[in-house]
Amino acid sequence: MIAELHGKVTERREESLVVLAEGTGIGLEVIVPDRALTDAGASVHLFTSLHMASDGALLTGFETPEELRVFKALLNVNGVGPRMAVRVLSTHPASRIYEALDQEDPKPFQVVSGIGARTANRIILELRGKLVPEDKPPDETADDENTREVLEALLGLGYTRTEATIALNQTIGEALSVEARIASALRDLGSRGRPA
């Protein structure tokens, strides 16, 4: 798996760059958001994701790990493929995507070429509450003491503050006891690949 790509741009294309991978002599074509398109001769450092399709391999690249995280989340939505997910990130920065999800506003997604009302609403439905900034603190709510108690319990179980915060944000606004919120957060953490 190609996780990162360092190198010099040898060609700029309509939606991609050809990057001469540092120290290899191999030129790789990488599909990137518009803001990452740069002219030949520039040095780039991209966080990448490789996809296999019927017409061959497709390598996508992003300037930050956060953009890559948003891209991978979009791929989990039925009907959103790699090229469409890149177009979403070409149209909006990650912060705008978080905002649209938080406000349940499908319009920012509908302005992306190839995304209609149905797909835009599916993105909102499937990613709201799940795709949040990694450094976002738990929302301020009336049960602030309850929130702190759950966070401390997750930290005590060995999860990082970032992992615990993301899982805790999934339970915000639900009328749950401390124990139920901990259980819900642990299920979310387990679904992310770590044992709960």
Side-chain angles (χ1 to χ4, degrees):
M1 181 61 70
I2 303 172
E4 294 184 41
L5 176 62
H6 300 251
K8 185 164 287 189
V9 176
T10 59
E11 183 182 350
R12 172 177 174 161
R13 297 179 179 174
E14 187 175 346
E15 61 174 8
S16 64
L17 301 173
V18 177
V19 180
L20 185 62
E22 200 169 85
T24 68
I26 298 172
L28 298 172
E29 182 178 13
V30 194
I31 308 296
V32 297
D34 288 351
R35 70 182 63 84
L37 288 171
T38 187
D39 293 329
S43 294
V44 294
H45 175 198
L46 300 170
F47 298 89
T48 58
S49 181
L50 181 64
H51 307 272
M52 301 307 295
S54 57
D55 57 348
L58 180 72
L59 184 64
T60 56
F62 305 90
E63 294 180 308
T64 66
E66 182 178 44
E67 284 191 336
L68 177 60
R69 178 173 164 265
V70 171
F71 169 80
K72 287 182 174 179
L74 287 166
L75 291 183
N76 289 324
V77 178
N78 187 33
V80 178
R83 289 181 186 276
M84 184 179 289
V86 171
R87 286 200 298 272
V88 172
L89 283 157
S90 286
T91 308
H92 304 294
S95 59
R96 181 68 183 99
I97 294 169
Y98 295 139
E99 183 182 300
L101 292 172
D102 188 53
Q103 296 174 356
E104 298 186 43
D105 180 9
K107 290 192 291 294
F109 298 105
Q110 287 178 253
V111 302
V112 177
S113 174
I115 295 184
R118 181 177 296 179
T119 301
N121 283 308
R122 190 182 298 128
I123 291 171
I124 297 292
L125 180 67
E126 295 189 21
L127 297 185
R128 187 186 187 283
K130 296 179 182 177
L131 180 60
V132 296
E134 288 198 337
D135 59 353
K136 179 183 178 184
D139 296 348
E140 293 297 326
T141 62
D143 60 344
D144 202 39
E145 190 170 330
N146 177 305
T147 297
R148 278 197 297 273
E149 195 173 335
V150 176
L151 184 60
E152 287 170 10
L154 295 174
L155 294 174
L157 289 170
Y159 291 100
T160 67
R161 182 167 292 274
T162 294
E163 289 172 326
T165 296
I166 293 172
L168 185 53
N169 277 330
Q170 314 312 314
T171 70
I172 294 298
E174 298 180 31
L176 301 173
S177 65
V178 170
E179 294 76 14
R181 288 185 73 188
I182 291 172
S184 177
L186 287 173
R187 282 194 297 275
D188 181 75
L189 286 161
S191 73
R192 295 171 187 272
R194 283 190 56 169

